[in-house]
Amino acid sequence: AGARRLPSCVLVGQSRSSPGATRPPTGAAMRRTREEVDATLQVAKLNAAELLPAVHCLRFGPGASGAAAGDFCLLELEPALCRRLEAGRSLVIRGDKDEPAVLCSKDKTYDLKIADTSNMLLFIPDCKTPDQLKKEDAHCDIIHTEIFGFSNNYWELRRCRPKLKKLKKLLMENTYEGPDSQKEKDSNCSKYTTEDLLDQIQASEEEIMTQLQVLNACEIGGYWRILEFDYEMKLLNHVTQLVDSESWSFGKVPLNICLQELGPLEPEEMIEHCLKCYGKKYIDEGEVYFELSADKICRATAQMLLQNAVKFNLAEFQEVWQQSVPEGMITRLDQLKGLALVDRHSRPEIIFLLKVDDLPEDNQERFNSLFSLREKWTEEDIAPYIQDLCGEKQTIGALLTKYSRSSMQNGVKVYNSRRPIS
């Protein structure tokens, strides 16, 4: 105590509401005088000159035991989240009964964990901090304060990845096959609004909306839907055929003409959605154009070819793939990262569909799944399938170090599981 400048002197009395204590006298008898405070400091061998002059005299109030029984929880917040609450914004706790709770801000997701502490944490309404006391320039004040409650634990937040796999699972329950589909006439098919997704998905609103874009979801009649892949490819085929017949550049596809020409075939909002999924919107001289992405179109075409084949001869696939994309586009295997995997050890070499979206969300389960599929991986092959597991400031190398062990095979570093895979 002699080496520190303590914030203030704190003297605590107890009532029967706190375990193992006796109730202090009420009224004037319970209020300590300055002489009693100084005597207590002397017994404790504390130098009053090293302390702030203000003294907090604390006592447990009649409601303290109730507050300790679970009426309140303490939540530790980082400064940015604390400022958010002080500004009147909200934080949301999300999760079903069978899911660990997460807390979400507008753009981030946090795991909620209970942290125990050996120190008793006291709930003291209107308690003044040392900085506040300094500003008030208190002179030997004795502040009588009642303890409202106490706790030996608190909730702490740990930034985590949003749990988004459930989002695709929900939307895949009822994919959109076009306006004339029989499913659209069935009112019992599951559909989800933005509010429904916010209630069920453990992620922030911004993270959910970003993932909806990644999934190429669109809002139809107020509900979020994923297009059935065959229907999506039908729309894309309409667009690429129109580009070819009009001799347009894939870098400058006019929206209005597309809607005029293809509107009789499909709903205009679906044509525009297809252009957004496979292109980038821009305006030139007041007209809206889309620059179509060759990589996205080549990737979708490969998925169409691979989805009905268990395994495909690599050389034959590359030939058919190149013939299937629009003229002028060049196919490359690096366009298929996270979508398909090449096995160069088989004879002949083969390729097969392996979508990162279909792998488990949990880190250990993801690695178990990958190592059960292939015993040893190069970093180049495995990287697309674990990239999304990287948290803030975490690298693929760090994940591989934690969940695998490395060795050299024919001069190439490979990774295998740290634990037996059944």
Side-chain angles (χ1 to χ4, degrees):
R4 296 178 294 159
R5 182 157 181 84
L6 302 178
S8 60
C9 178
V10 178
L11 304 176
V12 182
Q14 293 182 318
S15 69
R16 287 174 186 169
S17 59
S18 54
T22 57
R23 183 181 297 275
T26 58
M30 75 176 185
R31 293 183 174 273
R32 295 176 185 268
T33 64
R34 188 72 212 188
E35 290 74 17
E36 290 174 324
V37 170
D38 291 339
T40 302
L41 293 177
Q42 189 172 7
V43 171
K45 297 182 180 180
L46 293 174
N47 185 355
E50 296 178 346
L51 306 174
L52 293 178
V55 177
H56 275 285
C57 289
L58 307 181
R59 65 180 293 273
F60 285 91
S65 60
D71 291 342
F72 299 90
C73 293
L74 294 177
L75 177 64
E76 183 182 60
L77 294 174
E78 60 185 38
L81 290 179
C82 196
R83 289 193 296 269
R84 181 181 180 84
L85 285 181
E86 291 170 344
R89 298 173 187 168
S90 62
L91 301 174
V92 184
I93 296 176
R94 294 193 170 114
D96 289 337
K97 291 182 179 180
D98 59 342
E99 297 172 330
V102 300
L103 183 138
C104 301
S105 65
K106 184 74 175 177
D107 60 347
K108 293 182 177 66
T109 303
Y110 301 84
D111 276 327
L112 273 170
K113 302 291 184 183
I114 293 180
D116 294 319
T117 174
S118 58
N119 297 320
M120 182 180 289
L121 305 172
L122 305 178
F123 305 167
I124 305 176
D126 302 320
C127 182
K128 294 182 179 180
T129 66
D131 290 339
Q132 290 173 322
L133 292 171
K134 287 178 182 177
K135 290 179 181 178
E136 293 179 1
D137 195 24
H139 296 286
C140 298
D141 287 345
I142 297 180
I143 303 170
H144 294 276
T145 307
E146 188 172 275
I147 298 169
F148 184 69
F150 58 90
S151 177
N152 290 108
N153 57 55
Y154 60 94
W155 289 95
E156 65 176 6
L157 303 181
R158 298 175 187 172
R159 180 74 190 279
C160 67
R161 297 193 316 275
K163 297 169 174 56
L164 295 166
K165 186 164 287 291
K166 186 178 178 181
L167 176 59
K168 183 178 180 181
K169 180 182 177 182
L170 293 178
L171 296 183
M172 290 299 290
E173 292 173 358
N174 181 24
T175 54
Y176 185 72
E177 299 177 358
D180 300 326
S181 168
Q182 182 62 38
K183 287 200 300 184
E184 298 309 303
K185 301 172 185 177
D186 185 357
S187 59
N188 294 323
C189 291
S190 55
K191 297 179 183 178
Y192 300 93
T193 64
T194 300
E195 288 302 315
D196 293 333
L197 296 178
L198 289 173
D199 284 341
Q200 297 193 49
I201 306 302
Q202 292 186 288
S204 69
E205 184 173 353
E206 284 191 15
E207 290 166 332
I208 290 174
M209 300 309 291
T210 298
Q211 186 65 12
L212 286 170
Q213 291 183 349
V214 171
L215 295 173
N216 288 340
C218 62
E219 209 168 1
I220 302 173
Y223 298 96
W224 285 100
R225 308 290 295 278
I226 288 180
L227 272 57
E228 180 70 30
F229 183 68
D230 289 344
Y231 180 62
E232 184 177 316
M233 293 305 295
K234 178 183 176 182
L235 294 171
L236 181 60
N237 190 48
H238 284 323
V239 171
T240 55
Q241 284 184 353
L242 181 62
V243 171
D244 181 61
S245 66
E246 297 290 340
S247 299
W248 292 333
S249 163
F250 281 103
K252 195 171 186 179
V253 179
L255 173 62
N256 284 335
I257 299 178
C258 279
L259 298 181
Q260 291 170 13
E261 294 293 327
L262 301 177
L265 301 175
E266 297 292 345
E268 291 187 358
E269 58 269 24
M270 290 295 98
I271 299 299
E272 185 170 359
H273 175 68
C274 180
L275 289 169
K276 288 179 180 177
C277 291
Y278 290 93
K280 183 178 180 182
K281 183 178 178 179
Y282 68 96
I283 298 175
D284 184 19
E285 297 181 354
E287 292 293 324
V288 178
Y289 294 92
F290 281 87
E291 180 185 359
L292 296 183
S293 167
D295 286 349
K296 288 183 178 181
I297 294 174
C298 290
R299 183 181 176 92
T301 305
Q303 181 175 340
M304 179 185 67
L305 296 172
L306 291 169
Q307 66 179 356
N308 296 320
V310 178
K311 295 180 180 179
F312 211 129
N313 181 295
L314 179 60
E316 293 177 1
F317 166 76
Q318 288 180 292
E319 182 179 352
V320 174
W321 183 27
Q322 182 60 59
Q323 292 172 354
S324 302
V325 300
E327 187 176 352
M329 292 188 179
I330 305 299
T331 59
R332 306 184 315 275
L333 287 177
D334 65 359
Q335 294 166 335
L336 307 184
K337 289 181 177 179
L339 175 70
L341 188 63
V342 174
D343 185 352
R344 297 195 180 278
H345 295 289
S346 66
R347 291 294 176 266
E349 295 178 344
I350 60 171
I351 185 170
F352 55 95
L353 200 65
L354 181 62
K355 298 162 67 175
V356 66
D357 292 345
D358 295 335
L359 295 174
E361 199 167 36
D362 175 76
N363 287 17
Q364 187 63 64
E365 290 179 12
R366 174 80 61 88
F367 275 91
N368 288 349
S369 178
L370 291 171
F371 285 126
S372 64
L373 183 67
R374 175 183 288 184
E375 182 182 359
K376 296 183 178 181
W377 292 73
T378 63
E379 183 173 347
E380 181 183 7
D381 284 345
I382 202 172
Y385 295 103
I386 61 173
Q387 178 69 57
D388 62 312
L389 300 181
C390 293
E392 283 187 314
K393 300 179 182 178
Q394 191 174 32
T395 64
I396 288 174
L399 278 175
L400 288 171
T401 299
K402 182 175 182 179
Y403 293 100
S404 68
R405 56 166 54 96
S406 63
S407 60
M408 300 299 293
Q409 182 174 293
N410 299 326
V412 178
K413 181 179 281 191
V414 293
Y415 297 87
N416 62 286
S417 177
R418 283 185 172 274
R419 55 178 66 183
I421 302 296
S422 56

